mmCIF file of all heavy atoms in Angstrom:
data_model
loop_
_atom_site.group_PDB
_atom_site.id
_atom_site.type_symbol
_atom_site.label_atom_id
_atom_site.label_comp_id
_atom_site.label_asym_id
_atom_site.label_seq_id
_atom_site.Cartn_x
_atom_site.Cartn_y
_atom_site.Cartn_z
ATOM 1 N N TYR A 13 15.709 58.146 -28.056
ATOM 2 C CA TYR A 13 15.344 56.975 -28.797
ATOM 3 C C TYR A 13 13.913 56.900 -28.718
ATOM 4 O O TYR A 13 13.247 57.166 -27.758
ATOM 5 C CB TYR A 13 16.029 55.767 -28.290
ATOM 6 C CG TYR A 13 17.517 55.683 -28.441
ATOM 7 C CD1 TYR A 13 18.413 55.621 -27.444
ATOM 8 C CD2 TYR A 13 18.059 55.610 -29.729
ATOM 9 C CE1 TYR A 13 19.786 55.611 -27.507
ATOM 10 C CE2 TYR A 13 19.437 55.413 -29.956
ATOM 11 C CZ TYR A 13 20.414 55.485 -28.995
ATOM 12 O OH TYR A 13 21.677 55.439 -29.040
ATOM 13 N N ASP A 17 4.925 58.316 -26.942
ATOM 14 C CA ASP A 17 4.908 58.187 -25.532
ATOM 15 C C ASP A 17 5.883 57.024 -25.109
ATOM 16 O O ASP A 17 6.020 56.713 -23.980
ATOM 17 C CB ASP A 17 3.555 58.018 -24.964
ATOM 18 C CG ASP A 17 2.565 57.570 -25.891
ATOM 19 O OD1 ASP A 17 2.290 58.396 -26.785
ATOM 20 O OD2 ASP A 17 2.049 56.463 -25.924
ATOM 21 N N ASN A 18 6.662 56.474 -26.166
ATOM 22 C CA ASN A 18 7.626 55.510 -25.711
ATOM 23 C C ASN A 18 9.024 55.957 -26.130
ATOM 24 O O ASN A 18 9.663 55.406 -27.019
ATOM 25 C CB ASN A 18 7.276 54.296 -26.572
ATOM 26 C CG ASN A 18 8.007 53.043 -26.082
ATOM 27 O OD1 ASN A 18 8.646 53.102 -24.864
ATOM 28 N ND2 ASN A 18 8.172 51.979 -26.843
ATOM 29 N N LEU A 20 13.016 57.370 -24.862
ATOM 30 C CA LEU A 20 14.006 57.346 -23.864
ATOM 31 C C LEU A 20 15.039 58.430 -24.206
ATOM 32 O O LEU A 20 15.682 58.293 -25.286
ATOM 33 C CB LEU A 20 14.672 55.884 -23.822
ATOM 34 C CG LEU A 20 15.573 55.563 -22.720
ATOM 35 C CD1 LEU A 20 15.427 54.121 -22.271
ATOM 36 C CD2 LEU A 20 17.081 55.886 -23.153
ATOM 37 N N GLU A 68 36.713 72.759 -35.481
ATOM 38 C CA GLU A 68 35.925 73.937 -36.104
ATOM 39 C C GLU A 68 34.912 73.501 -37.031
ATOM 40 O O GLU A 68 34.335 74.490 -37.729
ATOM 41 C CB GLU A 68 36.861 75.099 -36.460
ATOM 42 C CG GLU A 68 37.823 75.427 -35.314
ATOM 43 C CD GLU A 68 38.249 76.800 -35.457
ATOM 44 O OE1 GLU A 68 37.997 77.479 -36.514
ATOM 45 O OE2 GLU A 68 38.952 77.289 -34.446
ATOM 46 N N SER A 71 29.986 68.547 -37.239
ATOM 47 C CA SER A 71 30.173 67.113 -37.800
ATOM 48 C C SER A 71 28.917 66.346 -37.808
ATOM 49 O O SER A 71 28.908 65.264 -38.522
ATOM 50 C CB SER A 71 31.289 66.412 -36.894
ATOM 51 O OG SER A 71 30.798 66.194 -35.692
ATOM 52 N N ARG A 85 36.013 59.046 -42.181
ATOM 53 C CA ARG A 85 37.152 58.307 -42.657
ATOM 54 C C ARG A 85 38.466 59.152 -42.482
ATOM 55 O O ARG A 85 39.482 58.509 -42.184
ATOM 56 C CB ARG A 85 36.902 58.003 -44.105
ATOM 57 C CG ARG A 85 37.039 56.496 -44.348
ATOM 58 C CD ARG A 85 36.915 56.062 -45.752
ATOM 59 N NE ARG A 85 36.943 56.981 -46.745
ATOM 60 C CZ ARG A 85 35.932 57.283 -47.501
ATOM 61 N NH1 ARG A 85 34.679 56.673 -47.416
ATOM 62 N NH2 ARG A 85 35.914 58.141 -48.578
ATOM 63 N N PRO A 99 39.040 37.951 -41.079
ATOM 64 C CA PRO A 99 39.772 36.615 -40.705
ATOM 65 C C PRO A 99 40.735 36.141 -41.846
ATOM 66 O O PRO A 99 41.723 35.471 -41.402
ATOM 67 C CB PRO A 99 38.626 35.629 -40.471
ATOM 68 C CG PRO A 99 37.413 36.291 -40.894
ATOM 69 C CD PRO A 99 37.594 37.711 -41.060
ATOM 70 N N GLU A 142 45.468 33.252 -35.293
ATOM 71 C CA GLU A 142 46.787 32.900 -34.774
ATOM 72 C C GLU A 142 47.218 33.878 -33.632
ATOM 73 O O GLU A 142 48.257 33.736 -33.093
ATOM 74 C CB GLU A 142 47.871 32.798 -35.768
ATOM 75 C CG GLU A 142 47.466 31.817 -36.820
ATOM 76 C CD GLU A 142 48.491 31.912 -38.085
ATOM 77 O OE1 GLU A 142 48.686 33.010 -38.538
ATOM 78 O OE2 GLU A 142 48.847 30.896 -38.516
ATOM 79 N N LEU A 143 46.370 34.810 -33.277
ATOM 80 C CA LEU A 143 46.808 35.778 -32.293
ATOM 81 C C LEU A 143 45.966 35.797 -31.008
ATOM 82 O O LEU A 143 44.801 35.176 -30.952
ATOM 83 C CB LEU A 143 46.501 37.219 -32.881
ATOM 84 C CG LEU A 143 47.135 37.526 -34.213
ATOM 85 C CD1 LEU A 143 46.690 38.931 -34.698
ATOM 86 C CD2 LEU A 143 48.680 37.526 -34.093
ATOM 87 N N GLY A 145 44.011 37.654 -27.752
ATOM 88 C CA GLY A 145 43.053 38.771 -27.742
ATOM 89 C C GLY A 145 43.752 40.114 -27.726
ATOM 90 O O GLY A 145 43.486 41.059 -28.393
ATOM 91 N N GLY A 154 46.026 49.535 -34.712
ATOM 92 C CA GLY A 154 46.711 49.856 -35.989
ATOM 93 C C GLY A 154 45.721 50.228 -37.080
ATOM 94 O O GLY A 154 46.038 51.266 -37.760
ATOM 95 N N ARG A 160 45.652 58.032 -40.324
ATOM 96 C CA ARG A 160 46.064 59.171 -39.552
ATOM 97 C C ARG A 160 45.068 60.080 -39.129
ATOM 98 O O ARG A 160 44.992 61.207 -39.363
ATOM 99 C CB ARG A 160 47.196 59.956 -40.328
ATOM 100 C CG ARG A 160 48.295 59.192 -40.829
ATOM 101 C CD ARG A 160 49.229 60.188 -41.637
ATOM 102 N NE ARG A 160 50.357 59.471 -42.279
ATOM 103 C CZ ARG A 160 51.529 59.359 -41.654
ATOM 104 N NH1 ARG A 160 51.773 59.904 -40.532
ATOM 105 N NH2 ARG A 160 52.571 58.772 -42.216
ATOM 106 N N GLN A 176 45.393 42.318 -16.905
ATOM 107 C CA GLN A 176 46.846 42.603 -17.371
ATOM 108 C C GLN A 176 46.962 42.912 -18.774
ATOM 109 O O GLN A 176 47.496 43.971 -19.237
ATOM 110 C CB GLN A 176 47.700 41.320 -16.995
ATOM 111 C CG GLN A 176 49.137 41.624 -17.022
ATOM 112 C CD GLN A 176 49.517 42.890 -16.119
ATOM 113 O OE1 GLN A 176 48.863 43.083 -14.963
ATOM 114 N NE2 GLN A 176 50.373 43.627 -16.614
ATOM 115 N N PRO A 203 38.150 51.272 -13.475
ATOM 116 C CA PRO A 203 38.874 52.531 -12.849
ATOM 117 C C PRO A 203 40.210 52.595 -13.098
ATOM 118 O O PRO A 203 40.746 53.693 -13.149
ATOM 119 C CB PRO A 203 38.491 52.316 -11.333
ATOM 120 C CG PRO A 203 37.408 51.194 -11.204
ATOM 121 C CD PRO A 203 37.456 50.406 -12.475
ATOM 122 N N VAL A 212 38.474 62.438 -16.413
ATOM 123 C CA VAL A 212 37.387 61.537 -16.490
ATOM 124 C C VAL A 212 36.116 62.174 -16.458
ATOM 125 O O VAL A 212 35.743 63.085 -15.639
ATOM 126 C CB VAL A 212 37.430 60.599 -15.317
ATOM 127 C CG1 VAL A 212 36.258 59.639 -15.333
ATOM 128 C CG2 VAL A 212 38.802 59.821 -15.187
ATOM 129 N N ASP A 217 22.425 58.496 -16.351
ATOM 130 C CA ASP A 217 21.181 58.732 -17.141
ATOM 131 C C ASP A 217 21.269 59.834 -18.086
ATOM 132 O O ASP A 217 20.403 60.602 -18.267
ATOM 133 C CB ASP A 217 20.060 58.968 -16.049
ATOM 134 C CG ASP A 217 19.678 57.800 -15.289
ATOM 135 O OD1 ASP A 217 19.814 56.685 -15.754
ATOM 136 O OD2 ASP A 217 19.206 58.026 -14.102
ATOM 137 N N MET A 237 55.068 64.096 -0.562
ATOM 138 C CA MET A 237 56.193 64.721 -0.070
ATOM 139 C C MET A 237 55.915 65.947 0.738
ATOM 140 O O MET A 237 56.275 66.206 1.699
ATOM 141 C CB MET A 237 57.258 65.051 -1.248
ATOM 142 C CG MET A 237 58.129 64.007 -1.576
ATOM 143 S SD MET A 237 58.826 64.048 -3.308
ATOM 144 C CE MET A 237 59.515 65.557 -3.317
ATOM 145 N N ARG A 240 54.950 65.002 3.983
ATOM 146 C CA ARG A 240 55.984 64.571 4.873
ATOM 147 C C ARG A 240 56.608 65.728 5.349
ATOM 148 O O ARG A 240 57.010 65.936 6.562
ATOM 149 C CB ARG A 240 56.821 63.731 4.058
ATOM 150 C CG ARG A 240 57.787 62.889 4.997
ATOM 151 C CD ARG A 240 58.665 61.846 4.212
ATOM 152 N NE ARG A 240 59.298 62.659 3.031
ATOM 153 C CZ ARG A 240 59.592 62.056 1.935
ATOM 154 N NH1 ARG A 240 59.217 60.813 1.552
ATOM 155 N NH2 ARG A 240 60.199 62.806 1.121
ATOM 156 N N ALA A 242 55.430 68.598 5.845
ATOM 157 C CA ALA A 242 54.556 69.326 6.760
ATOM 158 C C ALA A 242 54.595 68.620 8.168
ATOM 159 O O ALA A 242 54.630 69.162 9.224
ATOM 160 C CB ALA A 242 53.064 69.261 6.348
#
Side-chain angles (χ1 to χ4, degrees):
Y13 291 115
D17 17 296
N18 191 18
L20 186 143
E68 308 202 353
S71 67
R85 236 182 13 244
E142 301 167 315
L143 302 175
R160 298 179 186 271
Q176 198 48 40
V212 180
D217 289 333
M237 270 155 59
R240 200 176 51 212

